[in-house]
Amino acid sequence: MIAFAIIRLRGLLVVVMLSGIFSLHSAVILLSLDAVDVAFTEAAVGAGISTVLMLATLSLTGSKEREKPPHTVLPILVVVATGAALIYGTLDMPRFGDPEAPVHQHVAPRYIEESPREVGIPNMVTSVLASYRGYDTLGEVTVIFTAGIGVMLLLLGRKPKHNGEEGEEDSS
Amino acid sequence: MMHHIVLRVVAKLLIPCILVFALYVQFHGEYGPGGGFQAGVIFASAFILYGLIFGLEALRRVAPPEAIRILIALGVLLFAGVGFATLLLGGNFLDYNVLAGDPVAGQHLGILLIEVGVGTTVAAAMITIFVYFAGRGQR
């Protein structure tokens, strides 16, 4: 329902607020699925930081959506086809919570049985993220790093140079 | 928002709590939910709140962009540095077992260090993104 409101509304400020609420709802859903770490991330990043960043973006771009062109048949077709393909894909997936599912048979038992001995910390999510999957986490941190550098470069590039302090930042 | 006395007082009360909670999430990530990523975001949100309430200039004084810029790189460097340290100590890349005497202590040390790296980079990157976005809006 929130998603429909987001699609239908024109005032972008309301849309940003609603997407924050949507993130918070997702966090609650994840929490009820016992994925506490993911829920935490969703609440902090999705509902917190990204809402603030979108509001900051709105203050740059203005908060009214432009009127759409009237013919929207092709986009609807593409969306419906993609959705149908995705739903068709889920038909092959194992039932929710199925203990025979491949995801529970592959490396998960090893993590659950061995990580208290090998890594020795109670939060298994952290031991998987930081130790077993250290490469992936390094990649993620590099992505964040790149995002920061990218925003810095993009928004520095067009700065006017009359202000003394900004000129100093430009030179570095 | 310089004249909203309620907002300013509440922000001043909240910001230390947010910072302490971020540090708790950072260093308690091994025992409860959380870790470097979430801690970095929460840490940055304290700074963003400060910037929203007291203005961008005040935020720039508290968190100078030059220092933050170095911190972004330092976090990744710490993470990768732990990896290379394990290489030099004779293990595989990011194989923390060799960092200390027994493997479990090595794992603890390695995870602690890389979580600090993750937190540093995430917090610094979030603050940077906010400062640059908000800074453009002012002109």
Side-chain angles (χ1 to χ4, degrees), chain B residues 8-138:
Chain B
R8 297 182 57 176
V9 170
V10 169
K12 270 190 181 164
L13 285 176
L14 269 181
I15 285 172
C17 301
I18 298 176
L19 291 177
V20 169
F21 181 59
L23 291 176
Y24 166 77
V25 171
Q26 170 84 53
F27 293 109
H28 204 261
E30 298 166 45
Y31 304 100
F37 193 82
Q38 293 92 331
V41 171
I42 295 170
F43 205 77
S45 73
F47 281 89
I48 290 176
L49 178 64
Y50 187 78
L52 283 175
I53 304 289
F54 296 98
L56 215 54
E57 278 313 307
L59 178 58
R60 285 217 181 93
R61 273 199 302 281
V62 178
E66 295 80 20
I68 296 290
R69 205 177 302 164
I70 293 170
L71 283 180
I72 297 184
L74 209 63
V76 183
L77 216 61
L78 179 61
F79 199 141
V82 171
F84 283 110
T86 56
L87 271 187
L88 290 180
L89 288 171
N92 290 327
F93 191 66
L94 292 176
D95 173 16
Y96 314 126
N97 285 354
V98 292
L99 281 179
D102 66 310
V104 171
Q107 290 280 349
H108 272 257
L109 184 61
I111 289 176
L112 195 73
L113 283 175
I114 69 144
E115 292 282 12
V116 170
V118 174
T120 311
T121 294
V122 170
M126 294 301 160
I127 295 172
T128 305
I129 293 174
F130 173 75
V131 165
Y132 279 87
F133 266 83
R136 258 183 87 80
Q138 281 185 342

Side-chain angles (χ1 to χ4, degrees), chain A residues 45-109:
Chain A
V45 180
I49 289 283
S50 60
T51 309
V52 171
L53 287 182
M54 280 197 270
L55 285 179
T57 314
L58 279 191
S59 72
L60 297 183
T61 58
S63 61
K64 268 297 182 190
E65 192 177 353
R66 219 180 290 153
E67 284 298 316
K68 285 199 199 96
H71 49 83
T72 49
V73 181
L74 184 66
I76 291 263
L77 276 181
V78 171
V79 167
V80 168
T82 316
L86 287 176
I87 290 173
Y88 178 70
T90 61
L91 294 181
D92 266 353
M93 277 173 65
R95 228 161 26 84
F96 176 72
D98 186 0
E100 300 298 315
V103 66
H104 298 310
Q105 299 292 325
H106 184 45
V107 287

